[in-house]
Amino acid sequence: KVICGTEIPINLAEVQKWPTPFTPLLGDGKVPSDSYAKEVVLLNNGDTYGGIGAQLNSFFHAYDVAYQRGRPLYITQDSWAIKALLTLFFGPSVEKNAKLWKTLESILRVKIVESENVLKSMGITYPDQPTAHSLFYHKPEKLTPTQIRNHRETILRKLLQYPPLAGGPKENACSTLKKLATGADGERYTVMHLVSEGDKAWLKRLEEITKMDHSAATEMEPVYVKNILTQTEMLNQPILPIYSQGMPQGAPGVARLSQDPQLKKLIKVDEKAYHLAGNFYLAVLADVYLGSPVDQLSLWIARMRHALGIGGTFVFTVKKGNNWVSYPNFEEHLEFYGDLGPWSA
């Protein structure tokens, strides 16, 4: 019920009470504990593709490839996928030992091997060695948004129980929450996920796919922000801005929003306290999250908030009457798991 000292709506230990069903495998997907595998899908130490959000897309698409091929998924200890996961879960400084690999194997339902040589010595071949780039653009076959959601949320709920705690203040995710999200009287807070002008160039492509107008959530003008904060009774609580790639020089989005006198008093920035994992948990556990629909990591944050049963998520929004509201159904939220092109989970 608690992550980084923050209470969440669901009990992660009681899988039978999860709002979406415990689904560790896709369909009749193969796991390494099945009959001895001669052929596997292997993720090895290849190049990464994109930022951490895009890397999560690629990683989860590997399950879809393994399902379609009818083969178990194997991962080498030095693979790009392990590095990506340890950025947000467990932490890069966690000791790489047998206990870690066993825990990850249990959570992910994969086999983690020291190297490709281990497979060769066992006579196991890996005709499928998909790259992070090819996986990013992979489209699942014969999988429904519901199947994909149930599988992803099962794994996310398990992973979120292991926030990075080692490595000092630049890696310890919970220390960021303690420093930025805790006021003198334990106040609530909003996270505002801003994007660069370059990211905004993807807006047209996303709107072509969803057939929705996402300009307000992408531009995040003061009138949009204040409308949502008024509805959620958060217009007197701190606003913590984040970027997926770290706080840019001058933080133009923050500077623009700070021109509004009401928002200026609420926006709180401490660049020394920011780091990727810290920002991530800050956003996942926020009372209100204003995310960007064109940002890969922002969509994963929204998915994780839904997986944890946390409301107050505004990423896919539409104007109804005078108010901006989130249009995905809170219980189902399948809009985050359908065909979103390069934003697909």
Side-chain angles (χ1 to χ4, degrees):
K1 292 281 288 184
V2 174
I3 299 175
C4 285
T6 301
E7 187 171 343
I8 58 174
I10 69 171
N11 189 332
L12 294 174
E14 297 181 351
V15 298
Q16 70 277 10
K17 294 183 179 179
W18 286 358
T20 54
F22 178 70
T23 311
L25 291 173
L26 286 168
D28 57 352
K30 306 295 182 183
V31 293
S33 58
D34 289 340
S35 58
Y36 184 74
K38 285 293 184 182
E39 294 183 342
V40 304
V41 174
L42 178 68
L43 302 184
N44 55 19
N45 188 24
D47 293 335
T48 59
Y49 181 72
I52 187 64
Q55 292 169 39
L56 289 176
N57 288 8
S58 296
F59 169 68
F60 279 106
H61 292 176
Y63 286 101
D64 305 342
V65 171
Y67 171 71
Q68 290 168 205
R69 302 288 192 273
R71 296 169 182 154
L73 181 59
Y74 278 55
I75 308 176
T76 60
Q77 294 175 5
D78 64 351
S79 74
W80 60 266
I82 293 293
K83 293 172 186 174
L85 291 174
L86 293 186
T87 300
L88 300 178
F89 314 104
F90 297 93
S93 296
V94 68
E95 186 176 352
K96 317 299 190 296
N97 56 23
K99 181 181 178 181
L100 174 67
W101 305 132
K102 184 177 180 180
T103 302
L104 280 171
E105 286 180 339
S106 175
I107 292 172
L108 304 176
R109 297 298 177 99
V110 302
K111 180 66 177 176
I112 299 174
V113 296
E114 184 177 359
S115 68
E116 297 171 35
N117 291 333
V118 173
L119 299 183
K120 292 176 182 177
S121 67
M122 297 172 65
I124 297 176
T125 62
Y126 35 95
D128 292 293
Q129 299 180 69
T131 64
H133 179 270
S134 67
L135 287 170
F136 179 79
Y137 289 102
H138 176 79
K139 285 193 173 184
E141 299 173 8
K142 300 179 181 178
L143 288 171
T144 66
T146 299
Q147 287 176 299
I148 293 171
R149 178 203 62 194
N150 294 349
H151 173 253
R152 302 324 191 228
E153 290 195 346
T154 293
I155 293 175
L156 292 175
R157 289 181 182 126
K158 292 287 187 178
L159 287 171
L160 283 163
Q161 297 178 53
Y162 297 93
L165 298 176
K170 284 298 181 182
E171 188 176 312
N172 186 317
C174 296
S175 69
T176 299
L177 267 78
K178 185 176 181 180
K179 184 167 185 178
L180 292 177
T182 305
D185 54 357
E187 63 214 344
R188 301 162 70 211
Y189 71 96
T190 294
V191 163
M192 185 169 56
H193 201 143
L194 302 172
V195 295
S196 67
E197 291 301 318
D199 290 324
K200 292 178 183 178
W202 287 93
L203 176 60
K204 183 178 179 181
R205 173 68 178 129
L206 178 64
E207 292 181 337
E208 289 172 351
I209 294 170
T210 63
K211 305 295 189 277
M212 299 291 288
D213 182 354
H214 298 288
S215 57
T218 302
E219 295 295 338
M220 215 166 291
E221 295 291 343
V223 64
Y224 173 84
V225 174
K226 291 197 292 185
N227 179 276
I228 292 173
L229 296 187
T230 298
Q231 295 177 61
T232 54
E233 299 182 348
M234 293 289 285
L235 200 50
N236 61 344
Q237 303 290 354
I239 301 171
L240 309 177
I242 65 169
Y243 289 82
S244 291
Q245 306 302 327
M247 193 68 68
Q249 185 69 32
V254 176
R256 173 174 52 81
L257 287 163
S258 295
Q259 292 177 6
D260 182 279
Q262 200 167 10
L263 294 180
K264 183 178 180 179
K265 293 187 294 184
L266 303 174
I267 292 174
K268 182 179 178 182
V269 177
D270 185 344
E271 295 185 24
K272 292 181 180 180
Y274 280 93
H275 58 83
L276 181 54
N279 288 355
F280 171 76
Y281 284 90
L282 196 69
V284 168
L285 299 171
D287 296 281
V288 173
Y289 175 65
L290 277 66
S292 171
V294 299
D295 186 276
Q296 301 283 359
L297 182 58
S298 183
L299 291 185
W300 279 109
I301 289 169
R303 293 178 184 116
M304 294 185 202
R305 288 173 61 86
H306 279 289
L308 297 176
I310 299 174
T313 301
F314 296 84
V315 179
F316 287 157
T317 58
V318 65
K319 196 168 189 181
K320 289 189 176 181
N322 294 323
N323 291 329
W324 288 98
V325 299
S326 176
Y327 67 77
N329 175 275
F330 180 73
E331 286 75 22
E332 299 293 328
H333 49 272
L334 291 174
E335 292 86 347
F336 290 104
Y337 292 96
D339 183 3
L340 292 173
W343 292 272
S344 297

